[in-house]
Amino acid sequence: MIRGFKTHYIREVEELSSSLWDFVPSDGEYALKQYKMLVPSCWESHPHFVNYRGKGIYTTKFYASGNVKLNFKGVSHTANVYVDDEFVGTHYNAFTPFSFICKNLTADEHTLKIEVDNDFSEQSLLHIPNDYMTYGGINRGVELETIGEIYIKRIHFSPFKEGDVWKAKVKVFIENLANDNLFVDLKLILDYNMFDVSDIEVAANKTLEVEEIFEFKDVEPWSMEEPNLYIISAFLEVEGDVFDDYVERVGFREITLDGDSILLNGKKIRIKGFNRHEDHAQFGCAIPYSAMVYDLELIKDMGANSIRTCHYPNDELFLDLCDEMGILVWEESHARGFEEEHMLKPNFDKQSEDCINEMVVEHFNHPSIYIWGVLNECASDTKAGSLIHKKQLEQLATLDNTRPNTFASNKHCRDLSFEYPTVISNNMYPLWYFDRSVLEMLSGLIAYSREHSTTLKPYIVSEIGCGGIYGSRNRTKEKWTEDGQADILEKQITPILENPDCTGVYIWQFCDIRVSTEWAMKRPRTHNNKGVVDEFRREKLAYYTVKKVFSNYGNYFDKN
Ligand code: ADA
């Protein structure tokens, strides 16, 4: 399963994942031995590769002819792709999708080979030893599309309301692979709303963006309580013959800012959220659909209404579920804890820019995504680091001016970058890493952020939490006990939810996660143990504390 809905009815699409591929590790104890490896999965889920960091070669066969488009939803962390031993392309970053086109294949069986590398090196500036695990393998879906010489590359759907009428700016990206200019007609259908755009000329070897604003009748808005979704289908025709299609799923909702408030369809939202890493004891980062659903059921059971995809773009299948279940998403590009020196390394800008671009361009249509984030706990307190924050936030705003943007700062009253985001966020750990009053710290940080940005902006506590080892029970409520975690967490989140100047809170974190070996001496069990459930999703006492506290607060500030 690649997406939560059928993406084509006319274009031929074949899922190449959900199957065993040939796998040969290049290094380590089992180097050059032949294996069958499930795609998608992490190789760490195979008993021989639980700690394997290196390269491996995946191969599979497919039958096709003509032009094909190979779509990869996530390969960790570098993929070199070959078809019939011809190099097709390379991609860096485990957490963003990518595609390659192969033209004029002969009608035959072909071999797809992917060299995968999850090693740390100077070439990898975003995947580094960190307080989460960089797994290895083809962790997300792979599909094969058969396309003609001209096809629909994507659709971007930006809904807005004018009075009582829902409208949307619709951009359809049409790519012409031929060496001649081609003419096509475009038809769009959403429920009973149908639109035609005729005589579109697409220049040879170019992609044309067809942009129109349409009015949509008899549609219901998307909200947390009623997450109404609609299928929008685009068809390409020549003289009435339909030869290509592209299907997306969208929601009619508007995110706007009003001073220190974030509004969803005009109502001021209160964030009751969790930071959630894509990590599971059994599946690593390749969390299967049923386990994604279980995570979201637990999150809703606790009364949470939002997920922060710390610290990287998530599997689109998970975002589809958030669309369907009315869970708001703060999706962020891949970055955690980079110092200025690291951010100034030659490849950093390009690798960051590519990740941000792929995140926004590919995930643009998800109504659940209400804000984009970058640069978690990076050097926002130095001049050079601040300029990089400015650059990445401007890139976000250019790619998508329909959503706010932010970065989670831990530089607090040294931060130099609060001028640049449209929403200000802080990670803070009073009562855990240091003994300070939550309220005093929160008030001080809100005041500082207001003094250091020219306009009044919404403020979110993007991380707060504490550790608790599953099964460690003690009435002393010492740190690392479940009792202590539940006690501290209640004292941390209650004053935040009580503070009208704060849009809300993301608890760090939903589940315990595996971390890099290099962090072993900083993290008991080589895990980050601040989850309210452990890595198997076994609830800790804190689960029930959060459920109790969150139940006292609604999804919106104003009662109506
Ligand atoms: C930081 C960081 C998280 C995690 C957390 C912790 O806020 O953003 O990724 O490392 O600290 O557990 O201390």
Side-chain angles (χ1 to χ4, degrees):
M1 191 172 184
I2 305 271
R3 294 295 304 276
F5 58 93
K6 196 168 169 60
T7 53
H8 294 282
Y9 290 90
I10 291 166
R11 189 184 302 176
E12 229 180 280
V13 186
E14 178 193 351
E15 182 178 354
L16 298 182
S17 40
S18 301
S19 59
L20 292 173
W21 291 28
D22 295 327
F23 175 72
V24 178
S26 310
D27 319 296
E29 182 183 351
Y30 300 96
L32 305 184
K33 291 198 179 331
Q34 304 277 340
Y35 288 84
K36 288 291 183 187
M37 187 70 78
L38 175 64
V39 170
S41 77
C42 300
W43 59 48
E44 290 83 357
S45 297
H46 185 291
H48 290 185
F49 303 104
V50 292
N51 289 316
Y52 180 53
R53 191 163 295 290
K55 295 182 178 64
I57 295 178
Y58 289 80
T59 49
T60 191
K61 302 279 189 188
F62 65 88
Y63 188 92
S65 67
N67 299 338
V68 299
K69 181 166 173 283
L70 289 159
N71 299 329
F72 302 89
K73 292 297 186 180
V75 179
S76 186
H77 58 58
T78 297
N80 293 318
V81 179
Y82 301 81
V83 170
D84 301 333
D85 282 332
E86 267 200 46
F87 179 69
V88 171
T90 186
H91 180 270
Y92 171 73
N93 203 302
F95 305 115
T96 48
F98 58 99
S99 299
F100 295 120
I101 286 176
C102 300
K103 293 165 76 169
N104 308 318
L105 290 181
T106 53
D108 200 347
E109 187 179 67
H110 300 276
T111 301
L112 172 60
K113 179 174 80 171
I114 305 171
E115 283 175 359
V116 178
D117 181 0
N118 80 336
D119 215 345
F120 295 133
S121 75
E122 272 309 298
Q123 283 64 52
S124 166
L125 292 178
L126 303 181
H127 289 276
I128 63 173
N130 221 323
D131 195 18
Y132 62 91
M133 181 74 177
T134 282
Y135 289 94
I138 304 175
N139 313 129
R140 300 178 184 170
V142 181
E143 65 184 359
L144 169 77
E145 297 182 353
T146 301
I147 53 178
E149 54 185 7
I150 186 166
Y151 74 102
I152 300 172
K153 190 171 188 176
R154 74 178 82 257
I155 298 175
H156 277 174
F157 184 90
S158 304
F160 60 95
K161 202 165 186 191
E162 267 183 7
D164 292 334
V165 174
W166 277 106
K167 296 185 175 181
K169 181 170 73 177
V170 181
K171 263 190 200 174
V172 180
F173 299 75
I174 304 172
E175 182 169 13
N176 178 1
L177 301 172
N179 295 324
D180 306 308
N181 293 5
L182 295 177
F183 288 83
V184 291
D185 299 324
L186 171 67
K187 186 185 288 299
L188 285 165
I189 299 176
L190 184 149
D191 243 15
Y192 295 99
N193 297 276
M194 293 175 74
F195 310 101
D196 290 299
V197 182
S198 308
D199 293 333
I200 302 166
E201 180 177 14
V202 187
N205 299 304
K206 294 284 186 214
T207 296
L208 176 70
E209 290 180 22
V210 177
E211 179 179 316
E212 298 272 352
I213 290 181
F214 299 110
E215 182 177 316
F216 292 86
K217 299 192 185 320
D218 304 326
V219 291
E220 295 301 321
W222 186 93
S223 69
M224 292 182 265
E225 299 76 20
E226 294 183 49
N228 293 300
L229 293 170
Y230 293 88
I231 290 293
I232 183 167
S233 304
F235 301 95
L236 285 188
E237 305 177 346
V238 168
E239 289 163 11
D241 288 338
V242 182
F243 63 87
D244 188 49
D245 72 340
Y246 192 99
V247 177
E248 257 294 8
R249 192 172 65 181
V250 297
F252 289 88
R253 65 103 182 89
E254 261 189 322
I255 302 291
T256 52
L257 300 185
D258 177 12
D260 65 353
S261 305
I262 300 176
L263 309 180
L264 167 62
N265 295 337
K267 292 173 71 178
K268 180 178 178 180
I269 61 172
R270 173 190 281 112
I271 293 295
K272 301 182 288 174
F274 277 101
N275 285 278
R276 175 182 177 271
H277 267 290
E278 287 181 327
D279 193 290
H280 193 287
Q282 189 179 345
F283 310 111
C285 68
I287 299 180
Y289 195 63
S290 59
M292 288 180 188
V293 172
Y294 186 63
D295 280 1
L296 285 166
E297 293 296 356
L298 291 178
I299 284 156
K300 285 185 77 101
D301 179 59
M302 284 186 275
N305 59 14
S306 188
I307 289 288
R308 175 178 176 227
T309 68
C310 58
H311 299 290
Y312 38 74
N314 272 201
D315 189 328
E316 207 163 3
L317 207 44
F318 183 75
L319 300 175
D320 286 337
L321 284 169
C322 291
D323 292 341
E324 292 171 38
M325 298 171 82
I327 297 286
L328 291 173
V329 174
W330 160 337
E331 187 164 59
E332 68 184 22
S333 71
H334 184 200
R336 183 202 170 279
F338 299 135
E339 300 299 334
E340 179 186 86
E341 181 194 0
H342 189 81
M343 296 168 73
L344 293 175
K345 287 181 177 176
N347 286 337
F348 183 82
D349 269 355
K350 178 74 170 64
Q351 291 182 354
S352 301
E353 184 185 334
D354 288 348
C355 180
I356 292 167
N357 191 60
E358 289 160 353
M359 171 179 77
V360 177
V361 168
E362 292 290 334
H363 294 171
F364 189 91
N365 295 322
H366 290 280
S368 56
I369 298 175
Y370 77 102
I371 193 168
W372 300 112
V374 293
L375 294 171
N376 174 74
E377 295 199 346
C378 295
S380 54
D381 58 341
T382 71
K383 194 162 173 37
S386 190
L387 287 174
I388 293 171
H389 281 73
K390 179 174 186 291
K391 182 175 179 182
Q392 291 196 12
L393 289 158
E394 285 173 348
Q395 180 189 358
L396 276 181
T398 304
L399 287 167
D400 181 2
N401 64 5
T402 70
R403 292 176 171 97
N405 56 58
T406 189
F407 70 92
S409 165
N410 67 335
K411 305 305 185 268
H412 299 166
C413 296
R414 300 192 323 276
D415 207 295
L416 303 177
S417 308
F418 286 150
E419 190 53 46
Y420 307 130
T422 55
V423 171
I424 291 172
S425 308
N426 272 313
N427 299 341
M428 60 173 80
Y429 287 86
L431 307 183
W432 178 251
Y433 286 125
F434 37 79
D435 198 11
R436 269 187 71 183
S437 144
V438 178
L439 192 55
E440 174 249 316
M441 183 166 190
L442 178 63
S443 310
L445 288 177
I446 291 175
Y448 176 86
S449 69
R450 289 182 172 180
E451 287 152 22
H452 291 78
S453 47
T454 40
T455 56
L456 181 62
K457 298 173 180 173
Y459 181 94
I460 295 177
V461 174
S462 33
E463 289 182 30
I464 191 165
C466 51
I469 305 281
Y470 178 80
S472 168
R473 293 295 314 276
N474 193 313
R475 60 189 309 127
T476 62
K477 297 186 180 181
E478 290 290 352
K479 284 185 174 172
W480 295 116
T481 62
E482 284 193 38
D483 313 70
Q485 182 189 31
D487 187 51
I488 293 172
L489 207 43
E490 181 164 10
K491 291 171 183 163
Q492 287 176 322
I493 64 177
T494 304
I496 293 168
L497 291 164
E498 283 295 322
N499 190 317
D501 294 331
C502 185
T503 296
V505 64
Y506 285 96
I507 291 173
W508 185 273
Q509 63 177 324
F510 168 65
C511 63
D512 292 349
I513 61 166
R514 184 176 174 184
V515 302
S516 300
T517 307
E518 294 80 355
W519 275 65
M521 294 319 292
K522 293 186 248 184
R523 294 284 184 259
R525 314 186 299 135
T526 317
H527 275 65
N528 184 305
N529 299 284
K530 299 188 182 72
V532 297
V533 299
D534 77 352
E535 61 273 24
F536 293 95
R537 276 53 179 177
R538 296 177 297 189
E539 295 103 353
K540 303 175 190 175
L541 288 178
Y543 178 99
Y544 301 99
T545 301
V546 170
K547 182 171 179 174
K548 181 188 74 177
V549 175
F550 274 176
S551 67
N552 296 329
Y553 302 90
N555 289 337
Y556 305 94
F557 275 87
D558 13 63
K559 291 286 174 282
N560 55 33

